[in-house]
């Protein structure tokens, strides 16, 4: 039985050997070789030569000494290439090649003066090119002991380098991943060694790669930056790891000490910079080397996406250490305002930042920690103009739609600083003429991008304030906000020996911003109030008290409504000669010095006007009462009843006229 099996096996070997010999002597050299050459020339548009095409039972199809040339220039030559393919998919018009092996290949890569590359011509579609009826799949390409000769004609003189000892493997796991492994050397003094291990995730569009460079000297590539003013000493770089989202540089030094400096211009959609780079390292007798580096930036410009204007003229020095980045005297301009910053970043796993930022009007000092997209602020304090601020808390930026915050802050605001920077409202603010300092304590939590939804608790205090020229002392306001509702349960201030208190609410959730306000005033002395008004020359005095309730919509003054009343006691309010001579005409000279000591007015607000049906001024001789309307447009429509006391003297030149107008019995008249 064993003898029969051995005999059958030998017969199969003889048949395969005979078939292979026939294939290599008759079919492949005669029929297939010319077809391969013709197909290559039609596909690439270049001249192709091929020494031999054979079939090997171990290697599969073997090509030897293939050359592609463009005129007198050789583009590609390879000593040997081989591949196997699966039989059954061939009948389904699929050519599946598990692996392609290329040995001792030499490629000439040229960059033309128009920035195009010569090898791209090989892959451009050709005229009258017909689509193949077969689908080709290659799982792996392995290149060994090969070389790439590179020439860049965009530089003067032309830059040339050779990548030798090239060993490369490309694995295709379609449609998911592409892997690349590469080892090679670039001709230099000494040669630059390169090792690449990379993987590209096609669905995620994510590239992960590690590139190790040994004895990489920037001076070997000075042709690319010599026109930019860069000069570099002999330096060597090793280690570059990057993904599509971040890049990390690790460098090691060949010499015991290394210095590297230069200048470069980097330009892109959002960044341009000119910088100097310095690197110093010392290798002690034992232990790890001490590595320090620095980057000096000149006139850089950057345009972050979240800023409307670029940051310009960035200049200064950045110190780089294995566990720390520090900068000092870093200057820049934003909106034509010069700034200076200094600070440091430590602990790269959990970055801790200390930052100082200053300008002519601003100073900020801050310490915070970055944990992914969570910012923990332990300190943020500073000054803007003559106002001071401080804050601490957390900001979570993990969601693009939300900026969640939990912050406590304190402010000491000079109200004139508000007017100094709000040019858009300059005219209105000049009329209001805010003066004074306000101390603010603030607790805020919620989405900073939707401030109406935040929960806020604040207290505002001020020893003295002024607005529209009126002065107040001992100001206090309690501010609360939650569920889209502003609640001011208490506002209090001292006003010309009196006390003003108020409270109110506003609904931020409604587009019309409805609100209501209630205010009360007691003990205000008119003789002190008038000193800060246009009536300071008038002989008036008295004690004012009152209350008012109003409600409305912030954007619609016509819907304002409310009611209130005003009391005046101990008054010296209104001498009759203030009627511009009317008193002298109607009454005898005895009435010219009548002084009203009491006043009262109950009023309502509606239809853009203030209405009263109960207005009253009292003196010992005359009482005025009546009704009227004052419009928001300053129009007045009023009528007053004048009643003269029975004991009032009626003597003088106009006694008879007065008696006729104010009947002797009632001594009563009407003034409009």
């Amino acid at each position: 039985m064993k003898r029969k099996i051995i005999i059958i096996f030998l017969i199969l070997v003889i048949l395969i050997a005979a078939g292979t010999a026939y294939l290599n002597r008759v079919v492949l050299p005669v029929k297939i070789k010319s077809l391969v050459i013709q197909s290559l020339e039609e596909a690439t548009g270049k001249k192709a030569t091929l020494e031999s095409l054979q079939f090997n039972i171990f290697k599969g199809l073997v090509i030897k000494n293939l050359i592609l040339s463009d005129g007198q220039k050789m583009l590609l030559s390879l000593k040997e290439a081989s591949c196997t393919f699966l039989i059954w998919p061939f009948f389904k018009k699929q050519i599946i090649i598990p692996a392609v092996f290329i040995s001792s290949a030499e490629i000439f890569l040229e960059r033309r003066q128009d920035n195009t590359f010569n090898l791209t011509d090989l892959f451009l579609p050709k005229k009258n090119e017909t689509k193949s009826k077969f689908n080709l799949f290659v799982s792996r390409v392995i290149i060994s002991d090969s070389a790439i000769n590179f020439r860049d004609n965009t530089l003067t003189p032309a830059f040339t380098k050779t990548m030798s000892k090239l060993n490369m493997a490309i694995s295709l796991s379609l449609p998911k991943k592409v892997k690349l492994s590469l080892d090679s050397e670039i001709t230099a003094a000494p040669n630059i060694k390169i090792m690449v291990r990379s993987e590209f995730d096609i669905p995620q569009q994510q590239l992960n790669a590690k590139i190790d460079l040994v004895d990489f000297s920037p001076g070997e590539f000075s042709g690319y930056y010599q026109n930019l003013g860069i000069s570099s000493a002999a330096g060597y770089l090793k280690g570059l790891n990057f993904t599509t989202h971040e890049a990390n540089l690790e460098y090691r030094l060949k010499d015991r000490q290394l210095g590297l400096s230069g200048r470069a211009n980097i330009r892109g959609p959002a960044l341009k910079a000119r910088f100097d780079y310095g690197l110093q390292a010392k290798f002690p007798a034992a232990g790890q080397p001490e590595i320090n580096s620095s980057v000096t930036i000149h006139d850089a410009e950057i345009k972050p996406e979240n800023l409307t204007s670029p940051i310009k003229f960035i200049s200064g020095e950045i110190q780089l250490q294995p566990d720390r980045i520090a900068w000092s005297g870093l200057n820049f301009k934003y909106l034509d305002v010069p700034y200076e910053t200094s600070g440091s970043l430590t602990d790269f796993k959990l970055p801790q930042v200390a930052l100082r930022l200053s300008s002519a009007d601003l100073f900020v000092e801050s310490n915070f920690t970055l944990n992914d997209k969570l910012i923990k602020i332990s300190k943020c304090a500073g000054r803007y103009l003559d106002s001071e601020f401080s804050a601490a808390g957390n900001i979570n930026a993990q969601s693009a739609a939300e900026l969640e915050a939990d912050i406590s802050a304190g402010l000491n605001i000079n109200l004139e600083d508000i007017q100094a920077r709000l040019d858009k409202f300059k005219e209105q603010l000049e009329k209001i003429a805010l003066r004074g300092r306000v101390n603010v304590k603030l607790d805020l939590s919620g989405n900073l991008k939707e401030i109406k939804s935040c929960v806020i608790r604040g207290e505002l205090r001020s020893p003295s304030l002024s607005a529209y020229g009126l002065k107040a002392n001992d100001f206090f306001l309690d501010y609360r906000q939650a569920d889209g509702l502003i609640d001011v349960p208490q506002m209090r201030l001292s006003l010309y020996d009196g006390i003003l208190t108020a409270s109110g609410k506003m609904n931020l959730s409604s587009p019309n911003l409805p609100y209501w306000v209630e205010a009360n005033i007691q003990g205000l002395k008119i003789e002190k109030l008038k000193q800060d008004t246009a009536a300071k020359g008038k002989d008036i005095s008295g004690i004012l008290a009152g209350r008012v309730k109003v409600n409305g919509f912030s954007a619609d003054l016509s819907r304002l409504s409310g009611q209130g009343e005003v009391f005046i006691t101990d008054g010296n309010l209104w001498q009759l000669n203030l009627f511009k001579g009317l008193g002298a005409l109607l009454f005898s000279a005895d009435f010219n010095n009548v002084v009203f000591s009491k006043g009262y007015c109950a009023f309502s607000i509606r239809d853009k006007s203030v209405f009263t049906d109960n207005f009253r001024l009292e003196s010992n001789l005359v009482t005025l009462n009546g009704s009227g309307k004052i419009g928001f447009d300053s129009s007045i429509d009023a009528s007053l009843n004048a009643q003269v006391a029975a004991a009032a003297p009626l003597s003088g030149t106009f006694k008879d006229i007065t008696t006729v107008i104010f009947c002797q019995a009632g001594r009563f008249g009407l003034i409009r």
Side-chain angles (χ1 to χ4, degrees), residues 421-473:
R421 290 304 178 192
L422 296 179
D423 294 336
K424 183 178 180 180
F425 306 100
K426 182 178 180 181
E427 185 176 345
Q428 297 92 315
L429 290 173
E430 286 179 349
K431 291 180 180 179
I432 298 173
L434 285 170
R435 300 290 186 272
R437 302 190 74 91
V438 177
N439 292 303
V440 181
K441 290 184 178 180
L442 187 69
D443 293 314
L444 180 149
S445 61
N447 181 10
L448 295 179
K449 293 186 177 182
E450 187 59 48
I451 199 69
K452 293 180 181 180
S453 65
C454 291
V455 176
I456 303 175
R457 178 66 189 270
E459 289 185 358
L460 287 73
R461 298 178 185 270
S462 176
S464 62
L465 293 173
S466 67
Y468 295 102
L470 302 178
K471 299 181 179 67
N473 300 310

Coordinates of all heavy atoms in Angstrom, one line a residue, residues 421-473:
R421 N -16.2 101.3 28.2 CA -16.1 100.3 27.2 C -17.3 100.0 26.4 O -17.2 99.3 25.4 CB -15.6 99.0 27.9 CG -14.1 99.1 28.4 CD -13.2 99.5 27.3 NE -11.8 99.7 27.7 CZ -10.9 100.3 27.0 NH1 -11.1 100.7 25.8 NH2 -9.6 100.4 27.5
L422 N -18.5 100.5 26.8 CA -19.7 100.2 26.0 C -19.9 101.4 25.1 O -20.8 102.2 25.3 CB -20.8 100.0 27.0 CG -20.7 98.7 27.9 CD1 -21.9 98.6 28.8 CD2 -20.6 97.5 27.0
D423 N -19.1 101.5 24.0 CA -19.2 102.6 23.1 C -20.6 102.6 22.4 O -21.1 103.6 22.0 CB -18.1 102.5 22.1 CG -16.8 102.8 22.7 OD1 -16.7 103.4 23.8 OD2 -15.7 102.3 22.1
K424 N -21.2 101.4 22.2 CA -22.4 101.3 21.5 C -23.6 102.1 22.2 O -24.5 102.6 21.6 CB -22.8 99.8 21.3 CG -24.1 99.6 20.6 CD -24.3 98.1 20.4 CE -25.6 97.8 19.6 NZ -25.9 96.4 19.5
F425 N -23.5 102.1 23.6 CA -24.5 102.8 24.4 C -23.9 104.0 25.1 O -24.4 104.4 26.1 CB -25.0 101.8 25.5 CG -25.5 100.5 24.9 CD1 -24.7 99.4 25.0 CD2 -26.7 100.4 24.3 CE1 -25.1 98.2 24.5 CE2 -27.2 99.2 23.8 CZ -26.4 98.1 23.9
K426 N -22.9 104.6 24.4 CA -22.2 105.7 25.1 C -23.2 106.9 25.4 O -23.1 107.5 26.5 CB -21.1 106.2 24.1 CG -20.3 107.4 24.7 CD -19.1 107.8 23.8 CE -18.3 108.9 24.3 NZ -17.2 109.3 23.4
E427 N -24.0 107.3 24.4 CA -24.9 108.4 24.6 C -25.9 108.2 25.7 O -26.1 109.0 26.6 CB -25.7 108.7 23.3 CG -26.5 109.9 23.4 CD -27.2 110.2 22.0 OE1 -26.8 109.6 21.0 OE2 -28.2 111.0 22.0
Q428 N -26.5 107.0 25.8 CA -27.4 106.7 26.9 C -26.7 106.6 28.2 O -27.2 107.2 29.2 CB -28.1 105.3 26.6 CG -29.0 105.3 25.4 CD -28.2 104.8 24.2 OE1 -27.1 105.2 23.9 NE2 -28.8 103.9 23.4
L429 N -25.5 106.0 28.3 CA -24.8 105.9 29.5 C -24.3 107.3 30.0 O -24.3 107.5 31.3 CB -23.6 105.0 29.4 CG -24.0 103.5 29.2 CD1 -22.7 102.7 28.9 CD2 -24.6 102.9 30.4
E430 N -24.0 108.2 29.1 CA -23.6 109.5 29.6 C -24.8 110.3 30.2 O -24.6 111.1 31.1 CB -23.1 110.3 28.4 CG -21.7 109.9 27.9 CD -21.2 110.7 26.7 OE1 -22.0 111.4 26.1 OE2 -20.0 110.6 26.4
K431 N -26.0 110.0 29.7 CA -27.2 110.6 30.3 C -27.4 110.0 31.7 O -27.8 110.8 32.7 CB -28.4 110.4 29.5 CG -28.4 111.2 28.2 CD -29.6 111.0 27.3 CE -29.6 111.8 26.0 NZ -30.8 111.5 25.2
I432 N -27.3 108.7 31.8 CA -27.5 108.1 33.1 C -26.4 108.5 34.1 O -26.7 108.7 35.3 CB -27.5 106.5 33.0 CG1 -28.7 106.1 32.0 CG2 -27.6 105.9 34.3 CD1 -28.7 104.7 31.7
A433 N -25.2 108.6 33.6 CA -24.0 109.1 34.5 C -23.9 108.3 35.7 O -23.9 108.8 36.9 CB -24.2 110.6 34.8
L434 N -23.7 107.0 35.6 CA -23.5 106.1 36.7 C -22.1 106.4 37.4 O -21.1 106.5 36.7 CB -23.5 104.6 36.3 CG -24.8 104.0 35.9 CD1 -24.6 102.6 35.3 CD2 -25.7 103.8 37.1
R435 N -22.2 106.5 38.7 CA -21.0 106.7 39.5 C -21.0 105.8 40.8 O -22.1 105.6 41.3 CB -20.8 108.2 39.9 CG -20.8 109.2 38.7 CD -19.4 109.0 38.0 NE -19.3 110.1 37.0 CZ -19.8 109.9 35.7 NH1 -20.4 108.8 35.4 NH2 -19.6 110.9 34.8
G436 N -19.8 105.4 41.3 CA -19.8 104.7 42.5 C -19.1 103.3 42.3 O -18.8 102.9 41.2
R437 N -19.0 102.6 43.4 CA -18.4 101.2 43.4 C -19.4 100.3 43.9 O -20.1 100.6 44.9 CB -17.1 101.2 44.2 CG -16.0 102.1 43.7 CD -14.7 101.8 44.4 NE -14.1 100.6 43.9 CZ -13.3 100.6 42.9 NH1 -12.9 101.7 42.3 NH2 -12.8 99.4 42.4
V438 N -19.5 99.1 43.3 CA -20.5 98.1 43.7 C -19.7 96.8 44.0 O -18.9 96.3 43.2 CB -21.5 97.8 42.6 CG1 -22.5 96.7 43.1 CG2 -22.3 99.1 42.4
N439 N -19.9 96.2 45.2 CA -19.3 94.9 45.5 C -20.3 93.8 45.2 O -21.5 93.9 45.7 CB -18.9 94.9 47.0 CG -17.8 95.8 47.3 OD1 -16.7 95.7 46.7 ND2 -18.0 96.8 48.2
V440 N -19.9 92.8 44.5 CA -20.8 91.7 44.1 C -20.3 90.4 44.6 O -19.1 90.1 44.4 CB -21.0 91.7 42.6 CG1 -21.9 90.6 42.1 CG2 -21.4 93.0 42.0
K441 N -21.2 89.6 45.2 CA -20.9 88.2 45.5 C -21.8 87.4 44.6 O -23.1 87.6 44.6 CB -21.1 87.9 47.0 CG -20.1 88.5 47.9 CD -20.3 88.1 49.3 CE -19.3 88.7 50.3 NZ -19.5 88.3 51.7
L442 N -21.3 86.4 43.9 CA -22.1 85.7 42.9 C -21.8 84.2 43.0 O -20.6 83.8 43.0 CB -21.7 86.2 41.5 CG -22.5 85.7 40.4 CD1 -24.0 86.3 40.4 CD2 -21.9 86.2 39.0
D443 N -22.9 83.4 43.0 CA -22.8 81.9 42.8 C -23.6 81.6 41.6 O -24.8 81.9 41.5 CB -23.3 81.2 44.0 CG -22.4 81.4 45.3 OD1 -21.2 81.3 45.2 OD2 -23.0 81.7 46.4
L444 N -23.0 80.9 40.7 CA -23.6 80.5 39.4 C -23.4 79.1 39.1 O -22.3 78.5 39.2 CB -23.1 81.4 38.3 CG -23.7 81.2 36.9 CD1 -23.6 82.5 36.1 CD2 -22.9 80.1 36.1
S445 N -24.5 78.4 38.6 CA -24.4 77.0 38.1 C -25.3 76.9 36.9 O -26.4 77.4 36.9 CB -24.7 76.0 39.2 OG -26.1 76.2 39.7
G446 N -24.8 76.1 35.9 CA -25.7 75.9 34.7 C -24.9 76.1 33.5 O -23.6 76.2 33.5
N447 N -25.6 76.2 32.3 CA -25.0 76.3 31.0 C -24.7 77.7 30.7 O -25.6 78.5 30.5 CB -26.0 75.6 30.0 CG -25.4 75.7 28.6 OD1 -24.2 76.0 28.4 ND2 -26.2 75.4 27.6
L448 N -23.4 78.1 30.6 CA -23.0 79.4 30.3 C -23.5 79.9 28.9 O -23.6 81.1 28.6 CB -21.5 79.6 30.4 CG -20.9 79.4 31.8 CD1 -19.4 79.6 31.8 CD2 -21.6 80.4 32.8
K449 N -23.8 78.9 28.0 CA -24.2 79.3 26.7 C -25.7 79.6 26.7 O -26.3 80.1 25.7 CB -23.9 78.2 25.7 CG -22.4 78.0 25.4 CD -22.2 76.9 24.3 CE -20.7 76.8 24.0 NZ -20.5 75.8 22.9
E450 N -26.4 79.4 27.8 CA -27.8 79.7 27.9 C -28.0 80.3 29.3 O -28.5 79.6 30.2 CB -28.7 78.4 27.7 CG -30.2 78.7 27.7 CD -30.6 79.7 26.6 OE1 -30.1 79.5 25.4 OE2 -31.3 80.6 26.9
I451 N -27.6 81.5 29.5 CA -27.5 82.1 30.8 C -28.9 82.2 31.4 O -29.0 82.3 32.7 CB -26.8 83.5 30.7 CG1 -26.3 84.0 32.1 CG2 -27.7 84.5 30.1 CD1 -25.1 83.2 32.6
K452 N -29.9 82.3 30.6 CA -31.3 82.4 31.2 C -31.7 81.2 32.0 O -32.5 81.3 32.9 CB -32.3 82.6 30.1 CG -32.2 84.0 29.4 CD -33.3 84.1 28.3 CE -33.1 85.4 27.5 NZ -34.2 85.5 26.5
S453 N -31.1 80.0 31.7 CA -31.4 78.8 32.4 C -30.6 78.5 33.6 O -30.8 77.6 34.3 CB -31.3 77.6 31.4 OG -29.9 77.4 31.0
C454 N -29.6 79.4 33.9 CA -28.7 79.2 35.0 C -29.3 79.5 36.3 O -30.3 80.3 36.4 CB -27.4 80.1 34.8 SG -26.4 79.6 33.5
V455 N -28.8 78.9 37.4 CA -29.2 79.2 38.7 C -28.2 80.2 39.3 O -27.0 79.9 39.3 CB -29.3 77.9 39.6 CG1 -29.6 78.3 41.0 CG2 -30.3 77.0 39.0
I456 N -28.6 81.3 39.7 CA -27.7 82.4 40.1 C -28.2 82.9 41.5 O -29.4 83.2 41.7 CB -27.7 83.5 39.1 CG1 -27.2 83.0 37.7 CG2 -26.7 84.6 39.6 CD1 -27.3 84.0 36.6
R457 N -27.3 83.2 42.4 CA -27.6 83.8 43.6 C -26.5 84.9 43.8 O -25.3 84.6 43.8 CB -27.5 82.9 44.8 CG -27.8 83.5 46.2 CD -29.2 84.1 46.3 NE -29.4 84.9 47.5 CZ -29.8 84.4 48.7 NH1 -30.0 83.1 48.8 NH2 -29.9 85.2 49.7
G458 N -27.0 86.2 43.9 CA -26.0 87.3 44.0 C -26.4 88.3 45.0 O -27.6 88.5 45.3
E459 N -25.4 89.0 45.6 CA -25.7 90.1 46.5 C -24.8 91.3 46.0 O -23.6 91.1 45.7 CB -25.3 89.8 47.9 CG -26.2 88.8 48.6 CD -25.8 88.6 50.1 OE1 -24.8 89.2 50.5 OE2 -26.5 87.9 50.8
L460 N -25.5 92.5 45.9 CA -24.8 93.7 45.4 C -24.9 94.7 46.6 O -25.9 95.0 47.1 CB -25.5 94.3 44.2 CG -25.2 93.5 42.8 CD1 -26.1 92.2 42.8 CD2 -25.6 94.4 41.7
R461 N -23.7 95.3 46.9 CA -23.6 96.3 47.9 C -22.8 97.5 47.4 O -21.8 97.3 46.7 CB -23.1 95.7 49.2 CG -23.9 94.6 49.8 CD -23.2 94.1 51.1 NE -23.9 92.9 51.6 CZ -24.9 93.0 52.5 NH1 -25.2 94.2 53.0 NH2 -25.5 91.9 53.0
S462 N -23.1 98.7 47.9 CA -22.3 99.8 47.6 C -22.5 100.9 48.7 O -23.7 101.2 49.1 CB -22.8 100.4 46.3 OG -22.1 101.6 46.0
P463 N -21.4 101.5 49.2 CA -21.6 102.6 50.2 C -22.2 103.9 49.6 O -22.9 104.6 50.3 CB -20.1 102.8 50.6 CG -19.3 102.3 49.5 CD -20.0 101.2 48.9
S464 N -22.0 104.1 48.3 CA -22.5 105.3 47.6 C -22.7 105.1 46.1 O -21.8 104.5 45.5 CB -21.7 106.5 47.9 OG -20.4 106.4 47.4
L465 N -23.8 105.6 45.6 CA -24.0 105.5 44.2 C -24.6 106.8 43.7 O -25.2 107.6 44.5 CB -25.1 104.4 43.9 CG -24.7 103.0 44.1 CD1 -25.9 102.1 43.9 CD2 -23.6 102.5 43.1
S466 N -24.5 107.0 42.4 CA -25.3 108.2 41.8 C -25.6 107.8 40.4 O -24.9 107.1 39.7 CB -24.4 109.4 41.8 OG -23.3 109.3 40.9
A467 N -26.8 108.3 39.9 CA -27.3 108.2 38.6 C -28.2 109.4 38.3 O -29.0 109.8 39.1 CB -28.1 106.9 38.5
Y468 N -28.1 109.9 37.0 CA -28.8 111.1 36.6 C -28.5 112.2 37.6 O -29.3 113.1 37.8 CB -30.3 110.9 36.6 CG -30.7 109.9 35.5 CD1 -31.1 108.6 35.9 CD2 -30.8 110.2 34.2 CE1 -31.4 107.7 34.9 CE2 -31.1 109.3 33.2 CZ -31.5 108.0 33.6 OH -31.8 107.2 32.6
G469 N -27.4 112.2 38.3 CA -27.0 113.3 39.2 C -27.6 113.1 40.6 O -27.2 113.9 41.5
L470 N -28.4 112.1 40.8 CA -29.0 111.9 42.1 C -28.1 110.9 42.9 O -27.6 110.0 42.4 CB -30.4 111.3 42.0 CG -31.4 112.1 41.2 CD1 -32.7 111.4 41.1 CD2 -31.6 113.5 41.8
K471 N -28.0 111.2 44.2 CA -27.0 110.4 45.0 C -27.8 109.5 46.0 O -28.8 109.9 46.5 CB -26.1 111.4 45.8 CG -25.3 112.3 44.9 CD -24.4 113.1 45.8 CE -23.5 114.0 44.9 NZ -24.2 115.1 44.2
A472 N -27.2 108.3 46.3 CA -27.7 107.4 47.2 C -26.6 106.7 48.0 O -25.5 106.7 47.5 CB -28.6 106.3 46.5
N473 N -27.0 106.2 49.2 CA -26.0 105.6 50.1 C -26.5 104.2 50.5 O -27.7 103.9 50.4 CB -25.7 106.4 51.3 CG -25.1 107.8 50.9 OD1 -24.2 107.9 50.1 ND2 -25.7 108.9 51.4

